[in-house]
Amino acid sequence: MKRLVYLDVAKALSIILVVIGHYNQLDFPIWYQKTVFGIYTFHIPLFMYASGYLYSLTGVRNGYGDFLWKKFRRLMIPYFVVSFIVITVKLLFQGFAYVSNPVTLWSYLRMFYRPEAGFYLWFVWSLWCMFAIVPMCKTKQQRLVLFFITLVAHIIPLPETDFFCFTQTKKMFVYFMLGVIASDYKDSFASLRRIPLGVYFVVFMVVELLYAAYPIELYPYKFIIAFVGIAFMVSLSKYIAQKGSKATISCLMLISSASYVIYLFHTMFEGFAKAVMHKMALFVDGGQIAVFLLGFVFATSLGLSMPILLNRWVLNRYKVTKFLFGLK
């Protein structure tokens, strides 16, 4: 399969937004909280879209059982390993250092049915469930039917539960299937590819500003916002892939290749940065924008760069770490 560079760019942009979005607290400036609010309308749907698109291109090659094992090895084994590490670190340090979302010994058990180490890990459970379901639909027509089923499920309100991240899967499955359908029916989406990036940007900014001013929690309102965000980011990714410098593309490809490791570990390093800043008077008492931006750069840079270094210099060097963290 010819590599679609723009999908790697989209994955890199998405994981950068994830790192930024997870650096947020109630005492942060309102303008920043509004920005994070906007990021949350589309960044995970974008990730799901890219995953669905790539799934449609590769499919199931050596049988359902082999496919499922590969996804379990890629997604769930790292999830359990990271959950164990994060819970252990929190138990060791939460008594005398700042720790967001403290845990207990029961967390070692609860991690087998909910994202106990950190709520952000719901993404892993949801993606695993999607990969378990989609291969049952073997034709384009069956996948199109599944898309409409996930759309209806996305809209219908059901009791929320964190067991196996059912609620998050219900909300996000439609975006995965949107990626599948976009790949299956490329010709039908051809007209969207001809729309200039500037048009996507204007529409994106309009819907985001309207949502920031009038945050209506109704469907299909939020679905439309996410769809516009996906369309804009895909168009932006294609532009960067075509017009970006070699250094920019190389940097984004590096981030994309380590995107799952970044997702698993970024909150740990951001948490470390927060703990360090929590001990420093400059960040505790300082309310100036320059101080906030300094903390932002420190925490997000650590959350992005340290997992990449960890991936390159440790995890990818040994067979056991490759297995434990789902690396090839």
Side-chain angles (χ1 to χ4, degrees):
M1 182 186 69
K2 184 179 179 181
R3 193 170 190 91
L4 298 177
V5 176
Y6 81 89
L7 285 179
D8 284 303
V9 173
K11 283 174 60 181
L13 295 178
S14 182
I15 198 64
I16 291 171
L17 292 174
V18 167
V19 174
I20 293 173
H22 284 160
Y23 182 70
N24 194 25
Q25 293 178 187
L26 293 176
D27 59 343
F28 281 1
I30 296 298
W31 63 266
Y32 181 79
Q33 293 186 43
K34 288 285 187 180
T35 301
V36 170
F37 183 72
I39 288 172
Y40 268 77
T41 63
F42 69 91
H43 72 318
I44 294 299
L46 173 65
F47 223 124
M48 291 296 184
Y49 173 89
S51 298
Y53 199 103
L54 287 171
Y55 166 80
S56 182
L57 294 178
T58 55
V60 179
R61 296 180 177 179
N62 298 315
Y64 180 71
D66 179 72
F67 174 82
L68 214 56
W69 162 245
K70 287 181 178 179
K71 292 304 177 184
F72 186 86
R73 178 182 176 276
R74 170 66 174 160
L75 295 172
M76 297 310 296
I77 291 178
Y79 161 81
F80 291 124
V81 172
V82 169
S83 294
F84 180 84
I85 293 172
V86 172
I87 291 170
T88 302
V89 170
K90 285 186 175 183
L91 285 173
L92 290 174
F93 288 95
Q94 65 189 17
F96 55 89
Y98 171 78
V99 172
S100 59
N101 303 313
V103 296
T104 67
L105 288 173
W106 285 107
S107 298
Y108 287 117
L109 176 62
R110 288 195 290 264
M111 74 179 188
F112 287 97
Y113 60 86
R114 53 165 291 177
E116 184 70 10
F119 183 72
Y120 72 99
L121 290 172
W122 68 262
F123 175 85
V124 183
W125 275 109
S126 294
L127 200 56
W128 158 251
C129 292
M130 294 173 198
F131 280 128
I133 295 171
V134 177
M136 298 178 186
C137 301
K138 298 181 180 179
T139 67
K140 290 183 178 181
Q141 292 75 18
Q142 290 174 341
R143 291 193 288 270
L144 184 60
V145 170
L146 181 59
F147 166 72
F148 284 109
I149 291 173
T150 59
L151 179 59
V152 172
H154 179 83
I155 295 171
I156 295 177
L158 293 173
E160 296 199 355
T161 175
D162 57 1
F163 274 74
F164 304 108
C165 301
F166 171 79
T167 299
Q168 289 72 35
T169 303
K170 170 185 141 1
K171 291 179 180 178
M172 291 295 157
F173 206 164
V174 66
Y175 302 113
F176 184 97
M177 291 309 303
L178 183 64
V180 172
I181 298 306
S183 176
D184 282 348
Y185 297 89
K186 294 183 183 70
D187 294 340
S188 300
F189 286 81
S191 59
L192 294 177
R193 294 196 294 268
R194 292 193 288 269
I195 298 176
L197 174 61
V199 174
Y200 277 118
F201 175 73
V202 171
V203 175
F204 171 75
M205 291 303 298
V206 169
V207 297
E208 286 292 346
L209 290 173
L210 284 174
Y211 187 55
Y214 308 101
I216 303 173
E217 299 293 322
L218 295 176
Y219 300 108
Y221 189 58
K222 290 184 70 176
F223 177 78
I224 293 172
I225 295 172
F227 179 83
V228 170
I230 291 170
F232 166 64
M233 293 301 292
V234 169
S235 180
L236 176 63
S237 299
K238 288 182 176 179
Y239 179 84
I240 293 173
Q242 294 170 0
K243 304 292 186 179
S245 65
K246 289 184 178 180
T248 300
I249 299 300
S250 297
C251 181
L252 291 173
M253 292 290 282
L254 176 64
I255 294 172
S256 176
S257 65
S259 59
Y260 190 45
V261 174
I262 294 171
Y263 193 89
L264 291 173
F265 285 100
H266 74 280
T267 59
M268 183 184 298
F269 291 107
E270 282 191 342
F272 171 77
K274 289 178 182 178
V276 171
M277 290 187 290
H278 192 71
K279 296 289 186 180
M280 300 173 66
L282 173 65
F283 295 100
V284 173
D285 301 325
Q288 297 182 359
I289 188 171
V291 174
F292 169 77
L293 291 176
L294 181 62
F296 167 80
V297 171
F298 176 57
T300 55
S301 297
L302 218 62
L304 192 64
S305 62
M306 292 306 294
I308 293 175
L309 295 175
L310 181 67
N311 180 61
R312 183 171 183 178
W313 297 109
V314 180
L315 304 185
N316 255 310
R317 286 201 168 190
Y318 309 101
K319 288 184 179 180
V320 63
T321 51
K322 283 185 177 182
F323 175 79
L324 292 176
F325 295 97
L327 305 174
K328 296 180 180 179

